Amino acid sequence: MNQKIYSEGWERKLLEQFTAKNRDRKKAYICSPLRAETAKDLLMNIERARAYMLYAYEKMGVVARAPHAYLPMLLDDGIPAERAIALQFGQRLLENSDVLLVCGNMLSHGMRSEINYALSLGIPVIAFNQDLYIDLKQMADKEHPAMSKKVILQQEHFTMGFTNPVVFVNAMEEKP
């Protein structure tokens, strides 16, 4: 991969969010694509998930969780039994989240399942991309009408609606 996604010390910053000082922060579940046509694209999706986590933690003030950012190191998505373990883990994590953040600018099948599950649990769903927001509202209206009001467009953090990792490098390196 030729593009740098993270600034120096990004792993430490991600781990920092799980310290005791952050226990009172909201827990956000990162919803972004994992599956890809090539191994290179799969690795890029994993790195994007980590970049979304880092951005959400540093810029949005939440403890960000993205099981697909780390579980592929332990479980093979191509093996049905291991995929089932990963999906079950993701559901338990989602059940213990305060909000679901829909990142990027496309919806995968797995993302749709996570969004529907979040809505069935009454968990708010935040989109950052206008087109995705419209799709999510339509999905909520059709499958969870009572929850449609919990689908929100947040434009303040519009970079979470991008898929280009370079955006995250620039956002992370800005000085407050």
Side-chain angles (χ1 to χ4, degrees):
M1 285 175 214
N2 298 333
Q3 295 177 320
K4 175 183 167 193
I5 294 180
Y6 310 105
S7 58
E8 290 299 314
W10 66 268
E11 284 187 72
R12 183 174 175 78
K13 289 177 187 178
L14 278 177
L15 289 174
E16 203 176 88
Q17 72 178 321
F18 299 108
T19 62
K21 72 175 183 167
N22 293 316
R23 288 202 178 126
D24 60 335
R25 288 185 180 203
K26 281 188 172 186
K27 295 177 185 99
Y29 187 96
I30 302 296
C31 181
S32 65
L34 172 62
R35 284 200 175 175
E37 301 260 336
T38 68
K40 180 181 177 184
D41 289 341
L42 177 72
L43 291 174
M44 185 59 76
N45 285 343
I46 291 169
E47 288 188 2
R48 284 181 181 129
R50 291 177 186 177
Y52 293 131
M53 285 177 69
L54 183 59
Y55 183 95
Y57 171 63
E58 289 197 336
K59 301 293 185 182
M60 298 175 72
V62 297
V63 172
R65 308 145 139 212
H68 59 296
Y70 293 96
L71 283 180
M73 291 188 302
L74 305 171
L75 301 167
D76 186 337
D77 198 52
I79 299 173
E82 291 188 17
R83 178 171 169 73
I85 293 168
L87 292 174
Q88 187 176 46
F89 178 81
Q91 284 186 331
R92 298 298 86 74
L93 202 56
L94 182 52
E95 290 166 3
N96 290 287
S97 297
D98 299 304
V99 64
L100 180 138
L101 306 179
V102 182
C103 304
N105 60 9
M106 61 156 289
L107 287 179
S108 68
H109 176 73
M111 290 171 68
R112 286 182 186 280
S113 295
E114 290 172 332
I115 293 161
N116 274 316
Y117 192 57
L119 291 172
S120 75
L121 296 171
I123 295 172
V125 172
I126 297 176
F128 305 95
N129 175 285
Q130 178 75 35
D131 293 334
L132 269 187
Y133 168 72
I134 293 167
D135 289 347
L136 294 174
K137 283 296 266 188
Q138 289 172 348
M139 183 175 19
D141 287 342
K142 181 180 176 187
E143 299 178 36
H144 304 280
M147 292 299 298
S148 186
K149 292 178 192 156
K150 292 214 177 193
V151 176
I152 303 158
L153 175 63
Q154 191 178 88
Q155 294 180 309
E156 177 185 353
H157 299 286
F158 65 91
T159 55
M160 292 284 276
F162 294 162
T163 57
N164 184 352
V166 173
V167 171
F168 295 106
V169 173
N170 295 336
M172 295 291 98
E173 292 177 354
E174 287 176 7
K175 302 285 187 241

